[in-house]
Amino acid sequence: MHIPPLYKNKEWRRFLAGIALGAIVGYSFFILIHGQQQETIIQEHIQLSAQLHEAEKKYENLLNNPPEEEDKPLKVRELQVRYTNAKKLEVDLLTQHQLTSLVKELLSSVHGQNLETVAGQVDLMISTIESKDYVIDQLTYQLQVKKLIVTEQVSFDLEIKLAP
């Protein structure tokens, strides 16, 4: 029994080329959609792990410094870090998150302190942030404090610079 050579027929060639091209386009589309979903999942994971880490730090501070009477002074509850030139330098979100976590680790002792005490240590906080070099993925960054607001939520506006 002999199988006829259909590959010589023009219609069969077009059909097989269409199947191959369709498979390549479909697989490319699948890879694109899968990559976008993975990116959103990773960003969500980074945010949730940062929130968990901050909640653990706050819990430890509350264990070490239990709440006092009704006449207690205002205390620092949270640190917030923003970057003024992250888009200009095209710093990705993962690097921004790592820089934020390094800054928050440096200033972890600020959580739970009185606002008056923290307000007196503003220069110390600024010099602590600016004097350190932050190494992430073999790149060294330096941060410069542009604006510092001390309330129950201490917020920093930082400028990112690449260290030489």
Side-chain angles (χ1 to χ4, degrees), residues 79 107 110 118-119 121-130 145 148 150 154 156:
L79 291 174
L107 301 174
V110 172
V118 173
Q121 297 175 350
V122 169
D123 293 332
L124 179 64
M125 288 191 297
I126 291 173
S127 64
T128 302
I129 291 173
E130 290 181 349
V145 178
L148 170 64
V150 178
V154 178
F156 294 93

Side-chain angles (χ1 to χ4, degrees), residues 6-65:
L6 295 176
Y7 61 87
K8 291 182 180 178
N9 197 349
K10 201 176 207 181
E11 289 83 23
W12 279 101
R13 285 186 196 168
R14 286 183 187 155
F15 176 70
L16 294 175
I19 289 176
L21 186 63
I24 291 171
V25 169
Y27 188 70
S28 301
F29 182 72
F30 169 75
I31 293 294
L32 175 74
I33 297 299
H34 182 70
Q36 289 175 348
Q37 287 180 342
Q38 282 298 107
E39 184 177 349
T40 57
I41 289 171
I42 289 172
Q43 287 177 355
E44 185 177 311
H45 175 71
I46 288 171
Q47 290 173 349
L48 288 176
S49 64
Q51 289 175 355
L52 176 66
H53 186 67
E54 288 179 22
E56 288 174 349
K57 290 283 186 182
K58 289 177 185 178
Y59 178 71
E60 288 176 10
N61 284 335
L62 283 175
L63 283 179
N64 295 338
N65 304 324

